[in-house]
Amino acid sequence: MPGRSAERLSLTHGAISRAVRLLEDELGVALFERRGRRVFLTDAGRKLAEAVRQGFGVIAATARELRESGKGRPLTISCEPTLLMRWLIPRLPQFQALHPDVSVQLVAGGGPVGFEGGYRPGYQAQRFRLAGPLPCGAAV
């Protein structure tokens, strides 16, 4: 057990053995029966392994659900009307070809933008490159 686990977790055999010993001490039961160089799960070990497997299954299902729930929200881009019409809209087909699963909503707006509020949950920024020149003064 420690051999394969250590390899899969990129840990040493000793680190896995110590972690198992600490867990067994914490629980007060043996999780493995050691016979020579081989180890076998005890009844308690099988019970814990099944609970952990179910727990990871719940985590994986919840992560999938959360990933899927975020797919329906459009990416809303608000910018000055001239920038929108002369620079962004001509490049939109290229972005949509690269990211067909992203729904884009454009808003022609203007005026000052306040960044003093800091990070707002629900918003995610990512860098992406579009071919073509940037408008004068634009930063990448």
Side-chain angles (χ1 to χ4, degrees):
M1 192 291 288
R4 286 186 298 161
S5 298
E7 190 176 303
R8 289 178 71 186
L9 296 171
S10 299
L11 296 170
T12 66
H13 301 290
I16 296 290
S17 294
R18 276 189 300 280
V20 168
R21 256 185 269 116
L22 287 171
L23 182 58
E24 288 176 329
D25 290 347
E26 173 68 28
L27 297 174
V29 295
L31 299 173
F32 295 94
E33 182 182 329
R34 291 150 183 89
R35 293 186 218 152
R37 292 182 50 113
R38 299 187 65 190
V39 292
F40 301 91
L41 282 173
T42 62
D43 288 340
R46 280 190 289 282
K47 185 174 183 177
L48 182 61
E50 182 56 31
V52 169
R53 200 174 353 271
Q54 288 177 12
F56 278 123
V58 170
I59 291 169
T62 303
R64 261 191 315 278
E65 181 183 313
L66 292 173
R67 236 181 259 111
E68 291 299 317
S69 71
K71 286 186 178 178
R73 296 186 316 222
L75 170 64
T76 302
I77 301 172
S78 176
C79 62
E80 295 288 334
T82 303
L83 180 63
L84 182 74
M85 291 174 55
R86 294 185 185 254
W87 188 82
L88 187 59
I89 290 175
R91 288 160 176 81
L92 192 56
Q94 181 186 0
F95 176 82
Q96 289 175 323
L98 293 170
H99 306 280
D101 56 330
V102 176
S103 173
V104 179
Q105 178 182 13
L106 301 177
V107 178
V113 177
F115 293 102
E116 60 278 348
Y119 172 74
R120 293 182 294 174
Y123 290 86
Q124 182 177 4
Q126 292 184 347
R127 278 190 179 262
F128 56 89
R129 290 213 178 266
L130 298 176
L134 294 172
C136 183
V140 177

